[in-house]
Amino acid sequence: MQHYFIDKEHSDSDFFDFNDSVLGYDLCFRSCDSIFSKNKIDDGTRALLEAISKKCDLSGHGLDLGCGLGVIAIALIKKYGVTFDMVDINDTAVKLSKTNLIKNNVQHNAIVYKSDGFSEIEEEFDFIVTNPPIKTGKQLLFQMMIDSYAHLKENGIMILVIRKDHGMESLKKHLFSIYNNCEIIDRNKGYYILKCIKNKKD
């Protein structure tokens, strides 16, 4: 997946459409070969969305960190009527997410822009949701979690998915060191969904 972080030129023939459903919504996506989970909603994202729908009540303005095709934001906008900033390091992902917001009639609920992690993000959010890019390595992933805390409002929540065999225990410990809390809200086929709350510190 290292190629994902290197922008490349595409021809029209590289792009295609697919349909999938999650949380009871039939969704359609424009995609291409260089995008993660290019022709279906991946199992980790599906587990994340299903856990949120069962265990969380989102409101306000959120961040879809590493948005890819835009699945997370689009599904949660449909479910909760929230608004999103959507960011990705990959130019093609940014363009496709913009297209997919329109294809699913939620373009007024989100903005999409390129950002390497939090490099171009200035505001604070009520919630951050991510299926984090494990392939970036532990150091960058851990820094992303530190930055997430700085970009949450007080009582804001961070929700993410990670496989146990991709370092769930060490990530959970790291998150606890930042937030002073970290809860496993669901687990599904090896995927663990973690939730942290930014509480006011004395």
Side-chain angles (χ1 to χ4, degrees):
M1 282 297 293
Q2 191 62 34
H3 68 279
Y4 181 81
F5 304 102
I6 303 173
D7 290 316
K8 57 177 285 190
E9 293 294 325
H10 291 281
S11 63
D12 290 344
S13 61
D14 292 333
F15 295 90
F16 55 91
D17 295 331
F18 74 90
N19 299 312
D20 207 338
S21 60
V22 67
L23 306 185
Y25 300 103
D26 294 325
L27 305 176
C28 50
F29 298 96
R30 189 73 168 157
S31 186
C32 76
D33 287 342
S34 64
I35 298 299
F36 171 68
S37 196
K38 62 184 180 181
N39 54 16
K40 67 173 185 176
I41 297 173
D42 67 282
D43 292 339
T45 295
R46 187 177 298 277
L48 173 65
L49 290 169
E50 290 175 351
I52 291 171
S53 70
K54 291 186 293 184
K55 303 293 180 67
C56 303
D57 186 17
L58 299 184
S59 62
H61 187 58
L63 174 67
D64 182 351
L65 181 61
C67 60
L69 292 174
V71 175
I72 290 173
I74 290 169
L76 294 178
I77 290 168
K78 293 277 189 181
K79 172 77 175 175
Y80 296 102
V82 291
T83 58
F84 268 97
D85 278 23
M86 301 165 63
V87 301
D88 203 287
I89 193 174
N90 183 282
D91 278 326
T92 303
V94 169
K95 293 174 183 176
L96 289 171
S97 280
K98 291 178 179 178
T99 296
N100 291 330
L101 286 168
I102 295 169
K103 288 175 73 70
N104 292 282
N105 299 309
V106 292
Q107 63 269 28
H108 300 300
N109 289 68
I111 59 171
V112 190
Y113 52 97
K114 184 175 181 178
S115 183
D116 182 358
F118 285 87
S119 64
E120 303 301 318
I121 300 172
E122 297 181 354
E123 67 178 286
E124 295 180 343
F125 301 93
D126 298 296
F127 56 92
I128 298 172
V129 186
T130 186
N131 182 350
I134 301 301
K135 298 290 186 179
T136 61
K138 188 174 182 178
Q139 182 176 352
L140 288 177
L141 177 62
F142 278 23
Q143 184 60 50
M144 190 179 291
M145 299 302 104
I146 293 170
D147 293 340
S148 72
Y149 184 91
H151 286 272
L152 279 173
K153 298 176 183 178
E154 186 177 327
N155 298 317
I157 62 174
M158 172 75 172
I159 314 170
L160 61 92
V161 60
I162 185 171
R163 287 185 60 87
K164 186 170 185 178
D165 57 5
H166 286 168
M168 186 277 295
E169 292 291 352
S170 63
L171 180 59
K172 183 174 181 285
K173 183 177 180 180
H174 179 66
L175 286 166
F176 193 92
S177 73
I178 301 166
Y179 287 86
N180 200 33
N181 65 85
C182 185
E183 174 190 5
I184 298 172
I185 62 170
D186 203 2
R187 61 190 73 185
N188 188 338
K189 298 179 181 178
Y191 292 97
Y192 285 69
I193 292 78
L194 307 179
K195 174 184 174 183
C196 306
I197 302 174
K198 183 177 180 177
N199 294 317
K200 184 177 180 180
K201 291 185 176 181
D202 297 330

